[in-house]
Amino acid sequence: MYLVANVNVEICASKSCKLCTQYCPEANTIQYSEEMGKEQGFKYGSAYIAVDRCKGCALCVWVCDSLAKNNAITMTMIDQLPKAALTDNITYGDKSTTAVLASPMVG
Amino acid sequence: MSLDYVKFSNGFEKFMPKEYRDMVEHGPFGKKVTVSQMGSFKEALEEHPMCAGCAMTLFIRLAIIAFPNPEDTITVGTAGCGRLAISQAAIPFVYGNYGDQNGVASGLSRGLRLRFGDKPKDVVVMAGDGGTADIGFQQVLHSWFRKERFTTIMLDNEVYGNTGGQESGMTNRGAVLKMAPLGKKFEKMDMLQMAKVAGCAYVATVVPNNPRRVESVIKKAVLIAREVGSTYIQAYTSCNIEYAIPTDKVMEDAKTVENDRYQFTEYVSEEAKQYLAERYGYKEFLPKPAAAIPNKA
Ligand SMILES: Cc1ncc(C[n+]2csc(CCOP(=O)(O)OP(=O)(O)O)c2C)c(N)n1
Ligand code: SF4
Ligand code: SF4
Ligand code: SF4
């Protein structure tokens, strides 16, 4: 098994900083959804990870902890994630994206 | 090359993979996308085999987002790590022999001008420090002396990363690498100074831990190269493999190196300033009104 980044929506959706999206070395991997936090009753949207593209470098963890000071991202074994975003289930809108979460193991 | 190529061929739409469909429908083409919108539009760069946590990859990602007209841009690369990602973008990529990138780009940029006249087609070279300062050195310098109108970007990881850690002219004096076990004997080459001596209209250094600055220097360099002359960006893009930087410390390293030898510097020729101000509305380069000049008396 291997590690991928995992965003804590509760923390992220109270911040709206979007900083990690500018630092992941991989394209279209850290995505932002204006709905994801609000749907769960939080103030803002949330960042989330397209786990099929994440290479597990943890650079985003450093950005969220040390630059943004929000500590919202942790590295998690991919089979320990109950549900995650996968490229196939991400839809682009005009200014935001939405993701239908699915099992990272079986899609 | 135009928005015409970013579309489905008749009847093929339903057979195209999702990534391609997203690119056509929500990609950066024909819009002005910015670094602050990252995470909300489909990027031109796709998956690629560069190492996890590589700062060069991040820089390339930012650079591609910053291209002022991605649909009218051609990238040129050479042997080295960067081409592994640059070639995986929905932007035409030209790859020649190791070190010939500035020769190829000179021909390409002239050819495009003959074919398309005044319509800007941007040529952007991205090559490693070995490709730029060692193997491609004479073609790089000649393209600058000849004022060829394209942008040269050095992806400076201070090592030959792709081939396992040989020293390059851009490696620091004393650095010990896997295939330079005695330590480098001479100083890091001053390519910035050489770019100025050779007459580049724009010369800047940048590190990827400041994404907005990367965006700003790339835009200026590409715009200036449309008409004024050669432009050069030297970016510190660490190799976490050859310098054994833990991937979660790559941005911390970038900050340390920025403070040590990669402070932001930007040279813009007078002609380029005027061009950016008049043509593209860059306020910081407008001539200062007389009243704003402080009275020295
Ligand atoms: C003519 C020629 N000689 C040698 C090589 C082998 N080679 C491939 S990449 C490379 C080094 C690349 O170093 P650099 O340009 O600094 O880029 P980096 O991989 O560090 O990004 C070499 C020597 C080659 N491809 N062609
Ligand atoms: S840096 Fe942290 S808090 Fe900010 S958007 Fe990313 S995950 Fe959320
Ligand atoms: S771990 Fe690395 S690849 Fe994965 S989302 Fe974070 S920065 Fe991107
Ligand atoms: S070898 Fe170094 S420069 Fe090349 S992709 Fe890996 S980390 Fe990046």
Side-chain angles (χ1 to χ4, degrees):
Chain A
M1 276 310 136
Y2 60 97
L3 292 163
V4 291
N6 185 22
V7 177
N8 179 320
V9 175
E10 190 174 345
I11 305 177
C12 184
S14 65
K15 304 292 180 183
S16 182
C17 81
K18 302 187 183 175
L19 208 57
C20 56
T21 60
Q22 299 178 15
Y23 285 87
C24 172
E26 302 303 314
N28 291 121
T29 302
I30 305 189
Q31 305 278 24
Y32 199 86
S33 163
E34 297 291 348
E35 303 309 317
M36 194 173 272
K38 290 178 194 155
E39 276 164 4
Q40 297 180 31
F42 304 120
K43 196 163 175 205
Y44 300 108
S46 178
Y48 64 93
I49 316 290
V51 293
D52 51 332
R53 288 175 178 254
C54 172
K55 288 184 180 168
C57 66
L59 204 151
C60 55
V61 175
W62 186 86
V63 169
C64 190
D65 291 358
S66 305
L67 279 188
K69 309 254 188 269
N70 290 337
N71 306 308
I73 310 182
T74 46
M75 298 308 292
T76 308
M77 283 294 174
I78 190 153
D79 63 342
Q80 303 298 310
L81 286 172
K83 283 195 165 178
L86 297 161
T87 301
D88 268 353
N89 306 333
I90 292 171
T91 312
Y92 292 87
D94 273 351
K95 290 199 169 100
S96 175
T97 69
T98 45
V100 176
L101 305 186
S103 158
M105 306 304 288
V106 290
Chain B
M1 253 202 353
S2 71
L3 281 174
D4 257 7
Y5 90 95
V6 198
K7 64 180 192 191
F8 303 110
S9 300
N10 273 344
F12 277 85
E13 180 175 349
K14 59 177 182 290
F15 300 109
M16 301 311 285
K18 178 182 189 299
E19 286 85 346
Y20 190 89
R21 267 213 280 267
D22 285 342
M23 187 75 66
V24 174
E25 287 158 5
H26 302 285
F29 305 105
K31 315 174 191 154
K32 301 279 174 236
V33 296
T34 65
V35 159
S36 5
Q37 295 160 353
M38 283 165 82
S40 65
F41 62 92
K42 172 71 181 167
E43 292 169 47
L45 182 60
E46 254 304 327
E47 289 180 291
H48 55 74
M50 287 181 76
C51 299
C54 177
M56 191 185 292
T57 317
L58 171 57
F59 178 85
I60 291 166
R61 181 180 174 218
L62 295 167
I64 289 175
I65 289 170
F67 289 164
N69 289 41
E71 63 280 4
D72 286 308
T73 304
I74 298 184
T75 51
V76 181
T78 195
C81 289
R83 44 94 194 230
L84 298 169
I86 306 162
S87 57
Q88 302 308 310
I91 289 177
F93 170 73
V94 181
Y95 180 76
N97 287 315
Y98 192 28
D100 72 4
Q101 66 278 4
N102 279 50
V104 169
S106 299
L108 186 59
S109 127
R110 290 185 189 201
L112 290 167
R113 278 167 219 280
L114 286 176
R115 168 69 180 78
F116 294 101
D118 286 341
K119 187 168 181 1
K121 299 285 175 186
D122 300 321
V123 175
V124 180
V125 171
M126 282 195 256
D129 45 307
T132 307
D134 299 347
I135 317 294
F137 185 69
Q138 57 104 340
Q139 301 199 24
V140 169
L141 265 270
H142 258 276
S143 70
W144 291 347
F145 274 112
R146 292 167 191 218
K147 304 213 168 6
E148 298 291 348
R149 287 171 292 172
F150 62 86
T151 300
T152 303
I153 301 173
M154 181 199 283
L155 305 165
D156 183 13
N157 56 6
E158 306 186 322
V159 64
Y160 285 43
N162 205 196
T163 40
Q166 297 80 10
E167 71 176 44
S168 85
M170 300 301 286
T171 302
N172 288 293
R173 183 183 179 141
V176 172
L177 295 160
K178 280 183 211 142
M179 300 211 203
L182 300 179
K184 180 157 177 232
K185 298 276 188 291
F186 61 97
E187 301 296 332
K188 183 177 176 83
M189 288 165 70
D190 190 351
M191 287 294 284
L192 299 163
Q193 202 51 37
M194 268 181 281
K196 288 177 203 163
V197 169
C200 286
Y202 181 84
V203 181
T205 41
V206 76
V207 289
N209 54 352
N210 193 336
R212 297 232 186 149
R213 187 174 280 159
V214 173
E215 177 177 43
S216 143
V217 300
I218 300 272
K219 278 212 163 48
K220 283 182 251 186
V222 172
L223 294 177
I224 293 170
R226 282 185 184 167
E227 287 191 31
V228 185
S230 309
T231 57
Y232 175 55
I233 295 170
Q234 191 176 300
Y236 174 67
T237 56
S238 68
C239 175
N240 60 62
I241 298 291
E242 294 308 330
Y243 281 90
I245 309 163
T247 51
D248 62 344
K249 297 282 186 292
V250 160
M251 286 298 116
E252 218 170 277
D253 163 80
K255 187 79 207 146
T256 311
V257 171
E258 179 180 21
N259 292 336
D260 178 59
R261 58 185 174 279
Y262 252 96
Q263 287 90 354
F264 173 59
T265 59
E266 187 179 55
Y267 159 80
V268 194
S269 74
E270 289 309 314
E271 192 188 351
K273 281 182 191 164
Q274 196 185 343
Y275 172 77
L276 284 184
E278 285 173 7
R279 189 69 68 87
Y280 296 101
Y282 276 76
K283 292 201 184 69
E284 71 257 45
F285 298 128
L286 283 173
K288 302 269 177 294
I293 298 169
N295 192 343
K296 281 199 183 140

